[in-house]
Amino acid sequence: MNKIEHLGIAVKDIQKSNELFSKLLNTSPYKQEEVVSENVITSFFKVGESKIELLQATSENSAIHKFIEKKGEGIHHIAYDVSDIHAEIKRLKGEGFQMIHEEPKDGADNKLIAFLHPKSTNGVLIEICQEKV
Ligand code: ZN
């Protein structure tokens, strides 16, 4: 894994949170994007080399909706940048980690992504992502 690519934060109202994080980070989101397959709207902020992803549910079927019901707003996942997501999924499975996605899927921000099950990572939801070329 190369670096932490972004932190995902679950929010109830992305417009309000965009305003809040714009004030906090003193910069505007560089991208806002709906991921229909995940029932979320996302927005991204750059902070130096790091990124923050805000996620708002667009339906009650969204994992973000369920997360907020259970735990409230807050840090939802840590995403690591990888160079070869297929190889990394294979490696992680070999190490005994449980993947939510056995095959990479399209994510926000021009990425292929896969999530690990938090059961196998001390309760932390982990995303691995690879920039699409
Ligand atoms: Zn993410």
Side-chain angles (χ1 to χ4, degrees), residues 9-34:
I9 299 175
V11 303
K12 286 183 183 164
D13 181 331
I14 202 155
Q15 295 315 333
K16 278 190 186 157
S17 297
N18 278 342
E19 287 171 29
L20 182 90
F21 276 83
S22 294
K23 281 185 207 159
L24 177 71
L25 304 172
N26 200 21
T27 185
S28 303
Y30 68 90
K31 183 183 278 189
Q32 181 157 317
E33 186 180 347
E34 183 167 1

Side-chain angles (χ1 to χ4, degrees), residues 14 18 28-35 41-46 51-54 107-111 131:
I14 202 155
N18 278 342
S28 303
Y30 68 90
K31 183 183 278 189
Q32 181 157 317
E33 186 180 347
E34 183 167 1
V35 184
I41 299 174
T42 63
S43 63
F44 286 86
F45 292 82
K46 272 201 179 98
K51 294 177 190 165
I52 299 290
E53 174 185 31
L54 304 182
D109 203 28
N110 194 41
K111 301 262 192 310
E131 187 95 27

Side-chain angles (χ1 to χ4, degrees), residues 6 8 53 77 79 115 127:
H6 62 268
E53 174 185 31
H77 64 269
F115 279 90
E127 172 186 346

Side-chain angles (χ1 to χ4, degrees), residues 6 10 15 18 22 32 44 54 56 58 66 71 76 84 95 105 112 115:
H6 62 268
Q15 295 315 333
N18 278 342
S22 294
Q32 181 157 317
F44 286 86
L54 304 182
Q56 180 210 296
T58 53
K66 289 168 194 157
K71 298 187 175 170
H76 177 257
D84 181 344
E95 295 284 3
K105 52 181 290 187
L112 286 172
F115 279 90

